[in-house]
Amino acid sequence: MLALASDLGHLFRTEHDRLMRAMRRLVGSPSTAEDLVQDVFVGLLRGNAFADAENKQAYLARCATNMALDHLRRERARARYICGSDLAGCEVACPVPLPDEALQGVQELALLRRTIDALPSKCRVVFLLSRDHGLTMKEIAARLGLSDKTVEKHIARAMMQCRQALRAAGRAI
């Protein structure tokens, strides 16, 4: 039991922040994410399967994802109970996506991140300045010493690569 607690303590210190970010993306609430991460670690401390897991980080990530999806299912069921048998008639907007939609979003984001990382460096920098930092094409051109047309071509190329990656993965665009 002491070794298990030590392993979990180490994993908590190294993986807590990563798990919190992933949980916040899935459930949309920092306080709910914190509660779920804590519940994951408490559950692992009580269970025996963690001690037998070969890849403890992967096991932890799977447990956290399952916990988040279970939470989202419970919230959806609660909303159905409150609003009646069909959510279509419910006038209360639910900002939480369905579990499948949340998982698909996480997968698409990872695919797009890999696609962007594979772009040529100048193209990647231009695209990230545009999308992540919200700079205009003129601002990017001035900052990098490029023509407006070159910036436009880099952004178009990056967008095309992202669309192709999504299509290749069978995602609707």
Side-chain angles (χ1 to χ4, degrees):
M1 181 67 160
L2 190 54
L4 174 63
S6 175
D7 283 351
L8 276 173
H10 173 73
L11 211 53
F12 182 83
R13 287 186 298 280
T14 60
E15 298 296 315
H16 180 268
D17 291 341
R18 184 181 63 81
L19 278 179
M20 278 297 300
R21 286 189 302 274
M23 289 293 227
R24 270 195 307 268
R25 280 191 305 268
L26 285 172
V27 300
S29 163
S31 61
T32 301
E34 183 67 44
D35 290 343
L36 291 173
V37 168
Q38 181 178 346
D39 289 347
V40 167
F41 279 99
V42 168
L44 291 176
L45 189 58
R46 290 182 179 158
N48 294 327
F50 179 75
D52 299 332
E54 285 183 39
N55 185 340
K56 298 197 184 318
Q57 288 174 320
Y59 187 81
L60 174 65
R62 173 49 50 202
C63 288
T65 301
N66 288 344
M67 181 79 68
L69 293 176
D70 287 345
H71 169 77
L72 293 172
R73 282 186 199 104
R74 283 191 306 275
E75 288 299 310
R76 183 169 167 78
R78 185 175 296 126
R80 261 196 316 265
Y81 178 75
I82 292 170
C83 297
S85 62
D86 185 13
L87 287 178
C90 183
E91 293 184 24
V92 177
C94 182
V96 179
L98 298 173
D100 294 346
E101 292 170 344
L103 183 59
Q104 182 178 0
V106 169
Q107 291 170 343
E108 286 178 2
L109 184 61
L111 172 66
L112 289 172
R113 181 54 60 193
R114 287 191 306 272
T115 302
I116 292 167
D117 288 344
L119 291 170
S121 63
K122 185 69 78 172
C123 184
R124 181 176 56 248
V125 168
V126 167
F127 185 71
L128 292 175
L129 285 173
S130 169
R131 294 304 189 255
D132 283 356
H133 299 284
L135 298 180
T136 66
M137 288 189 209
K138 287 202 177 296
E139 291 170 330
I140 296 168
R143 182 179 281 193
L144 299 178
L146 301 171
S147 72
D148 291 352
K149 195 69 173 171
T150 301
V151 170
E152 184 180 337
K153 286 180 182 179
H154 282 307
I155 292 172
R157 179 180 182 184
M159 292 295 293
M160 185 181 68
Q161 292 292 100
C162 289
R163 282 189 197 105
Q164 287 175 348
L166 288 170
R167 276 192 202 109
R171 305 287 195 221
I173 299 175

